[in-house]
Amino acid sequence: MTAPVPSRRPSLAVWKFASCDGCQLSLLDCEDELLALAGAVQIAHFTEMTRRHVDGPEDADRIREVRAVSRHVVTIGACATSGGIQGLRNFAAAGEYAGTVYAHPEYIRSLDTSTPIADHVAVDFELHGCPIDRRQLLEVLTAFLAGRRPIVPGHSVCQECKGRATVCVLVAHGTPCLGPVTRSGCGGLCPSVGRGCFGCFGPAETANTAALAGQLHALGATADELARLFRTFNAGAPAFRAEAEVQHTVAVALRRRPTAPHGRMAE
Ligand code: SF4
Ligand code: SF4
């Protein structure tokens, strides 16, 4: 009997940490390209796609062990790149959320903080979004298979609005919109249906959050509202986190001075 010929295709492993499965489903959503991709790589681990498994680490050191056995590590989605929506626990007592949401919080066991993968191991590329965009995911996979750097723009959602001739909801209607400081990738989805962007792709490369906060404050947003606006899917991303902390500090100071106006305190 002839011994099996070892596969020369590169291995692709998709590891899930604390998150929903939305970003992994983006890979399965690549319907037209999926067969070609499956032919180009050997799926080593992907619980959404195959029953085949390589032996993998199972304990709290899983991230470091994945790094140790991988040539390239790419993190995908807000959970992996900034701690995700569960990163809100970083600004509160996590147990309070569990007590509010679950009838029996005593059965819940979770970490006190949620942090990006890059806080723990070296990461070769971060793909942002909640969930990620499947075209950008294909670009990243294609780039790594070809041995080149992925071409994923870091500019803001505003450029996508301009590209598709969407009327600006912020300028035309005064609708709060995080598009000026949010990374592109969605095609400007929310403004295209008349809604403000709420930042699900995380901060753009040059995010001037202070300028946007000033503009939103001028439109009537309070410091509390601004802090909440920056604390959603990417609350742990440095630019959003820093602006939320500024606004939270202002809000706390204003609560101590009830007669002061809302928003950033005047010098
Ligand atoms: S609608 Fe929002 S994302 Fe679009 S151009 Fe206006 S501010 Fe930018
Ligand atoms: S417009 Fe903003 S909130 Fe809406 S999908 Fe795009 S990045 Fe996400």
Side-chain angles (χ1 to χ4, degrees):
M1 204 163 87
T2 312
V5 178
S7 170
R8 301 176 72 89
R9 291 176 293 166
S11 295
L12 174 68
V14 183
W15 302 100
K16 172 180 162 62
F17 292 84
S19 66
C20 71
D21 280 14
C23 289
Q24 297 178 62
L25 290 174
S26 295
L27 185 54
L28 295 181
D29 193 32
C30 300
E31 295 171 348
D32 293 340
E33 301 86 359
L34 201 53
L35 286 179
L37 176 66
V41 299
Q42 181 180 350
I43 306 292
H45 179 96
F46 186 10
T47 50
E48 294 278 0
M49 190 175 184
T50 177
R51 283 177 292 179
R52 191 190 328 159
H53 285 262
V54 293
D55 288 340
E58 297 176 353
D59 58 20
D61 292 328
R62 205 156 62 99
I63 295 171
R64 281 183 287 277
E65 295 191 27
V66 167
R67 174 70 270 185
V69 300
S70 307
R71 184 184 302 173
H72 303 294
V73 171
V74 175
T75 53
I76 61 170
C79 298
T81 58
S82 72
I85 194 77
Q86 59 271 24
L88 291 172
R89 67 180 52 234
N90 302 348
F91 312 104
E96 288 178 17
Y97 287 127
T100 303
V101 174
Y102 297 102
H104 292 285
E106 65 272 22
Y107 295 128
I108 305 296
R109 189 168 61 91
S110 61
L111 298 173
D112 287 336
T113 57
S114 179
T115 49
I117 298 283
D119 278 7
H120 305 275
V121 296
V123 168
D124 298 292
F125 192 81
E126 292 184 311
L127 185 61
H128 302 269
C130 184
I132 54 171
D133 176 74
R134 71 178 186 87
R135 293 158 300 184
Q136 290 192 338
L137 177 61
L138 282 171
E139 161 58 16
V140 171
L141 291 172
T142 304
F144 274 96
L145 286 171
R148 63 170 173 81
R149 188 81 184 156
I151 302 170
V152 175
H155 58 65
S156 74
V157 177
C158 292
Q159 288 202 33
E160 303 197 272
C161 286
K162 301 298 172 276
R164 62 191 293 173
T166 298
V167 173
C168 176
V169 299
L170 180 62
V171 172
H173 308 297
T175 303
C177 182
L178 287 188
V181 296
T182 297
R183 183 180 291 267
S184 66
C186 68
L189 183 62
C190 297
S192 75
V193 293
R195 296 188 56 178
C197 168
F198 43 94
C200 77
F201 268 66
E205 276 178 3
T206 52
N208 190 342
T209 55
L212 179 63
Q215 179 66 22
L216 296 178
H217 171 56
L219 289 170
T222 66
D224 259 334
E225 290 167 343
L226 290 172
R228 283 199 296 275
L229 200 58
F230 285 102
R231 279 183 180 163
T232 56
F233 309 91
N234 292 278
F240 285 4
R241 179 178 187 141
E243 188 59 41
E245 283 172 359
V246 168
Q247 298 301 330
H248 177 70
T249 302
V250 171
V252 169
L254 287 173
R255 276 198 286 275
R256 292 189 182 131
R257 295 167 51 198
T259 55
H262 290 304
R264 284 173 182 270
M265 279 194 300
E267 293 294 328

